[in-house]
Amino acid sequence: FRYNRLGQPNGRIRSYQDASIGDASNGAQPGFFFRRIRWVVTGQVSEHVGIFFQPDLASNVSGNTHVLSMRDAWGEWYFDKDKEFRFRVGLQRVPASWDNWQASRQRMAFDRSDAGNSGAPNERDMGVSFQWTPKFAQQRWKHMIDYLYGAGDWGMVNITVYNGQGLNAAEANEDKHVGVRLAYPFELPGGRLFEVGMNAYRGQFKVSTGTSPSASTTTLFSKLDAGHASGNYLDERLNFFIYYPPQPWGFLAEYVVGRGPERDQTGVIREQSLYGGYVQGHYTWQYSDTGLANFYVRHQAYNGGLKTQTGAPSNNMQETEIGVAWMPDPQWEITTAYTFTERRNVFQTTPGTAAVPGQQFDAYGNLIRLQVIWFWN
């Protein structure tokens, strides 16, 4: 449950991750709103077969809030009794970034970083994966996700083949994305844990240009360049990460490089390079048997396109977020943060026509953000 208050704005600031940032005159949906309402159904059908389903009752589809959609729906087969080798089929998370592997309720910051999440918005796609995790790594990752805000076990080696068009989107070309994750959970003397690794993927993504207007418009649309008449563009990324959990001090850092579709200032989508990442410092204060507070500071930046947004807009941005996530009880978390953000608007442009598309513009603002999470296992 969230509320965002935008102060000192310059221009029309928006965020593709949070529809309530901005004001209604600029197409945003400000006010109180549910960011997520999810119910997990999971089970061990037999010694070698497991299932996982997760619908979301708070999806935002075409401006309609609280729409029911599927987030996860997969089954997996374990090769051995220790579940070190597994084969997973269905709607599942795909390799893009550590940020994307981490569940929302495990994350201190309000939203995932633009650099990592833009590679796989909504984190999931339809596909098949092979994962290998030795027993010692399973135990370390379980401890990290139970007590140290970790991302969990997604394989020390993970190879995934998937459609590549995004969550609940039909495949739009014959090409399949291929993704790889390599990660290792270390244990230092004294029992301290940390994780390092990388994610990489490559495929062809078909962009949506939007509809050319019949009159002047400020709604973002784009044109394909001469070399991509089919709308299919190279989509490839390489990501590196390191996560040191709050014990009680910790840090998290990721960096991504790659190439993908991006709208230029003339309104044409071209294959361009991209790069970005973030660094985060955090501290956990355990003040009672059940209560704790997590203090964090995160700075992120991204220079690249948003392939899944209409028109593949440029999303050059940088942002600093300072916050505290307070858990007075293991089932409640109340987060408040102050955010300094500079973002290129990815929904609107200066006035343009079908012949001469408008240009994107930059804006900045300060946000006061409030969030309440209630969860149980």
Side-chain angles (χ1 to χ4, degrees), residues 122-180:
N122 298 307
E123 303 87 56
R124 300 159 174 90
D125 210 320
M126 289 289 293
V128 298
S129 65
F130 168 80
Q131 301 176 31
W132 172 59
T133 308
K135 198 67 177 179
F136 77 88
Q138 294 179 31
Q139 295 168 350
R140 292 176 187 177
W141 272 320
K142 185 178 189 309
H143 182 79
M144 290 172 74
I145 196 171
D146 286 345
Y147 304 104
L148 299 173
Y149 292 84
D153 176 11
W154 300 96
M156 208 161 81
V157 175
N158 181 316
I159 302 172
T160 304
V161 179
Y162 58 103
N163 284 340
Q165 286 298 125
L167 177 70
N168 297 330
E171 174 66 301
N173 52 45
E174 293 297 322
D175 184 83
K176 294 292 181 287
H177 278 54
V178 178
V180 177

Side-chain angles (χ1 to χ4, degrees), residues 213-224:
S214 57
S216 179
T217 183
T218 58
T219 300
L220 189 146
F221 75 97
S222 304
K223 297 182 176 182
L224 302 173

Side-chain angles (χ1 to χ4, degrees), residues 107-119:
R107 190 177 62 250
M108 297 180 196
F110 272 74
D111 293 311
R112 292 181 170 88
S113 69
D114 286 43
N117 187 244
S118 58

Side-chain angles (χ1 to χ4, degrees), residues 15 29 96 145 169 195 205 210 228 246 273 284 290 294-295 321 357 364:
S15 169
Q29 299 171 318
I145 196 171
E195 177 183 359
F205 184 86
H228 298 86
S273 61
T284 293
T290 59
N294 292 290
F295 302 87
E321 180 174 313
Y364 69 82

Side-chain angles (χ1 to χ4, degrees), residues 67-365:
V67 176
L68 176 64
S69 69
M70 186 61 74
R71 308 300 294 190
D72 295 276
W74 48 259
E76 64 183 358
W77 184 66
Y78 309 107
F79 290 53
D80 59 310
K81 64 179 182 179
D82 289 331
K83 301 178 183 177
E84 294 188 345
F85 299 89
R86 57 190 183 270
F87 180 67
R88 183 173 294 175
V89 178
L91 183 61
Q92 57 186 293
R93 292 178 190 258
V94 298
S97 70
W98 187 92
D99 218 14
N100 275 20
W101 293 119
Q102 187 185 43
S104 302
R105 74 175 182 88
Q106 299 292 116
R107 190 177 62 250
M108 297 180 196
F110 272 74
D111 293 311
R112 292 181 170 88
S113 69
D114 286 43
N117 187 244
S118 58
N122 298 307
E123 303 87 56
R124 300 159 174 90
D125 210 320
M126 289 289 293
V128 298
S129 65
F130 168 80
Q131 301 176 31
W132 172 59
T133 308
K135 198 67 177 179
F136 77 88
Q138 294 179 31
Q139 295 168 350
R140 292 176 187 177
W141 272 320
K142 185 178 189 309
H143 182 79
M144 290 172 74
I145 196 171
D146 286 345
Y147 304 104
L148 299 173
Y149 292 84
D153 176 11
W154 300 96
M156 208 161 81
V157 175
N158 181 316
I159 302 172
T160 304
V161 179
Y162 58 103
N163 284 340
Q165 286 298 125
L167 177 70
N168 297 330
E171 174 66 301
N173 52 45
E174 293 297 322
D175 184 83
K176 294 292 181 287
H177 278 54
V178 178
V180 177
R181 160 188 158 97
L182 302 174
Y184 194 91
F186 289 88
E187 183 172 359
L188 300 175
R192 294 176 182 268
L193 300 173
F194 75 100
E195 177 183 359
V196 298
M198 55 81 68
N199 299 277
Y201 73 77
R202 193 175 197 272
Q204 292 285 322
F205 184 86
K206 187 169 185 177
V207 300
S208 170
T209 60
T211 304
S212 297
S214 57
S216 179
T217 183
T218 58
T219 300
L220 189 146
F221 75 97
S222 304
K223 297 182 176 182
L224 302 173
D225 68 359
H228 298 86
S230 66
N232 294 318
Y233 287 77
L234 175 66
D235 177 26
E236 62 179 8
R237 297 193 179 204
L238 176 63
N239 157 269
F240 299 96
F241 66 84
I242 180 169
Y243 176 56
Y244 187 78
Q247 302 170 106
W249 295 94
F251 65 91
L252 170 61
E254 290 200 72
Y255 188 74
V256 60
V257 293
R259 295 188 65 82
E262 181 181 4
R263 185 186 197 268
D264 67 14
Q265 283 296 80
T266 67
V268 176
I269 302 173
R270 304 186 187 280
E271 181 190 302
Q272 302 191 63
S273 61
L274 57 89
Y275 60 92
Y278 68 96
V279 292
Q280 175 179 306
H282 39 244
Y283 174 79
T284 293
W285 174 37
Q286 181 84 43
Y287 63 86
S288 72
D289 290 341
T290 59
L292 59 84
N294 292 290
F295 302 87
Y296 69 91
V297 177
R298 184 181 72 168
H299 179 76
Q300 64 160 319
Y302 176 54
N303 290 275
L306 286 181
K307 62 183 182 182
T308 59
Q309 291 291 122
T310 299
S314 173
N315 186 44
N316 291 5
M317 57 81 66
Q318 59 179 331
E319 180 177 277
T320 301
E321 180 174 313
I322 305 170
V324 55
W326 174 42
M327 295 179 64
D329 181 272
Q331 276 70 53
W332 282 97
E333 183 177 78
I334 303 168
T335 304
T336 183
Y338 196 81
T339 304
F340 308 87
T341 185
E342 299 179 25
R343 291 178 171 273
R344 186 160 294 172
N345 192 300
V346 299
F347 299 98
Q348 297 177 313
T349 65
T350 59
T353 65
V356 183
Q359 296 185 356
Q360 289 183 252
F361 51 86
D362 298 326
Y364 69 82

